[in-house]
């Protein structure tokens, strides 16, 4: 099964003739039913990743060591369920249909447009986003439900093993999802193959925060193209971002230090919900402070504050 999941990449990279006729025309109700089933499976996996790992035959003890303490703790608590988002569904549908119609299999279109541009084009204002794709090719017709099960299990196995393709499905920072499964036919080495492709677009918008708090978010990244800003694919996972704030806690004027810290996610993302005030921030990698900000005012204007943090190599930091 795992081999079948990745077979689609090899086949599409060597495609000779690709028919855009759909493998089994289905009604809107059938389409929505299959996609709802995929979302149900993903949310069940997010609620208890360890149980799904065990169901798929992985050694949970070994997996806990592989994923590291931070991820293991998140999986112990369970991840926030994803919500269906129609705009992300439109973006994913466009990508699946474009791949079928123009005979390619990639997150990037032939013109170089990627998930970020597609998500922006449907007016989804993303703080964070991700995209997972999968496919299955076969000679004998199989049902939509069987196809999406095969693709789901391949993607989730990849996510549990910390692979990049399935990772968005278990990303704790993401909240919304839209997806599309569709099929066509492929002619390869004198044989017609039926094919299903799935694209899942996931994201998180600048949602309001209750209790008078404000949002500080951004990415830890390496500026690989030296353009001075974060670009997709430059994120650094596992950096420790810490914010500190001195706060008066009672009428006597007693002051205490509030400290929050988080490890950056798979795309270098981080997010804090903070009470307004003046904060300091530092970012560490492998125990070494790579960046410090002495004063970072946080207010409750209702607009999240984005601060992207450039991560330099240790060799680039001058010794005192």
């Amino acid at each position: 099964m795992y081999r079948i999941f990745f077979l689609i990449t090899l086949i599409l990279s060597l495609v000779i003739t690709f028919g855009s006729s759909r493998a089994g025309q289905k009604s809107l109700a059938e389409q929505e039913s299959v996609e709802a089933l995929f979302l149900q499976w993903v949310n069940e996996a997010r609620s208890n990743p360890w149980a799904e790992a065990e169901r798929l035959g992985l050694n949970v003890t070994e997996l806990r060591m592989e994923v590291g303490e931070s991820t293991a703790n998140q999986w112990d608590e369970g991840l926030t369920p994803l919500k269906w988002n129609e705009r992300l569904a439109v973006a994913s549908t466009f990508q699946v249909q474009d791949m079928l119609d123009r005979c390619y299999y990639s997150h990037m279109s032939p013109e170089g447009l990627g998930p970020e541009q597609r998500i922006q084009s449907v007016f989804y204002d993303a703080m964070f986003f991700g995209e997972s794709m999968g496919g299955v090719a076969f000679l004998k017709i199989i049902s939509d439900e069987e196809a999406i099960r095969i693709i789901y299990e391949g993607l989730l196995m990849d996510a549990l093993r910390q692979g990049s393709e399935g990772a968005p499905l278990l990303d704790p920072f993401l909240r919304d999802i839209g997806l599309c499964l569709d099929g066509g036919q492929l002619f390869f080495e004198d044989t017609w193959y039926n094919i299903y492709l799935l694209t899942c677009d996931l994201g998180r918008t600048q949602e309001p925060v209750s209790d008078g708090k404000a949002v500080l978010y951004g990415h830890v990244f390496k500026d690989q193209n030296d353009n001075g800003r974060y670009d997709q694919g430059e994120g650094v996972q596992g950096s420790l971002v810490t914010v500190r704030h001195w706060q008066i806690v009672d009428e006597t004027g007693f002051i205490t230090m509030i400290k929050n810290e988080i490890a950056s996610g798979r795309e270098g993302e981080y997010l804090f919900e903070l009470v307004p005030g003046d904060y300091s921030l530092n970012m560490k990698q492998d125990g070494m402070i790579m960046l410090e900000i002495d004063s970072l005012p946080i207010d409750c204007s209702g607009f999240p504050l984005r601060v992207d943090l450039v991560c330099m190599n240790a060799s680039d930091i001058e010794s005192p």
Side-chain angles (χ1 to χ4, degrees), residues 49 105 247 252 293:
Y105 179 72
Q247 182 177 1
T252 66
I293 300 175

Side-chain angles (χ1 to χ4, degrees), residues 251-297:
E251 63 277 1
T252 66
F254 179 76
I255 298 177
T256 186
M257 186 181 72
I258 306 298
K259 175 182 175 181
N260 295 273
E261 59 185 21
I262 190 172
S264 58
R266 62 179 181 85
E267 291 292 339
E269 66 266 49
Y270 73 91
L271 183 147
F272 296 103
E273 294 182 3
L274 305 169
V275 297
D278 191 51
Y279 287 78
S280 63
L281 178 149
N282 70 51
M283 181 267 292
K284 293 181 180 179
Q285 190 173 25
D286 298 325
M288 178 181 293
I289 294 178
M290 310 296 287
L291 183 148
E292 291 184 285
I293 300 175
D294 294 330
S295 180
L296 190 63

Side-chain angles (χ1 to χ4, degrees), residues 7-28:
L7 178 63
I8 196 69
T9 305
L10 173 63
I11 290 177
L12 288 179
S13 66
L14 300 175
V15 66
I16 299 173
T17 302
F18 193 29
S20 62
S21 60
R22 303 299 186 249
Q25 296 289 340
K26 51 186 179 291
S27 69
L28 178 61

Side-chain angles (χ1 to χ4, degrees), residues 106-246:
S106 172
H107 291 283
M108 306 297 292
S109 74
E111 295 80 17
L113 300 178
E116 183 174 13
Q117 291 78 20
R118 286 193 296 276
I119 289 172
Q120 289 175 345
S121 72
V122 296
F123 304 103
Y124 183 90
D125 188 14
M127 296 170 66
F128 307 122
F129 67 91
E131 184 174 80
S132 292
M133 285 172 40
V136 59
F138 49 93
L139 292 173
K140 184 179 179 181
I141 291 291
I142 63 174
S143 67
D144 293 354
E145 184 173 330
E146 176 66 9
I148 207 165
R149 182 193 61 79
I150 292 170
I151 297 171
Y152 161 76
E153 292 188 349
L155 282 172
L156 195 71
M157 182 75 79
D158 189 62
L160 291 165
R161 287 285 181 80
Q162 305 292 278
S164 60
E165 192 61 56
L169 300 180
L170 295 182
D171 190 324
F173 288 97
L174 301 178
R175 296 289 184 269
D176 301 326
I177 185 172
L179 61 106
C180 175
L181 176 77
D182 210 344
Q185 291 182 315
L186 164 70
F187 189 69
F188 177 69
E189 293 187 349
D190 300 321
T191 304
W192 280 101
Y193 292 90
N194 299 299
I195 180 174
Y196 280 104
L197 295 180
L198 174 79
T199 295
C200 303
D201 284 320
L202 302 95
R204 180 170 182 165
T205 58
Q206 300 183 3
E207 56 203 27
V209 180
S210 59
D211 301 328
K213 292 185 178 180
V215 169
L216 169 66
Y217 78 102
H219 298 80
V220 179
F221 73 104
K222 287 189 176 180
D223 192 9
Q224 297 172 352
N225 57 6
D226 295 320
N227 66 351
R229 66 173 185 269
Y230 165 78
D231 295 306
Q232 185 182 355
E234 293 182 337
V236 177
Q237 184 175 9
S239 297
L240 185 65
V241 182
T242 304
V243 293
R244 293 179 173 87
H245 167 59
W246 290 98

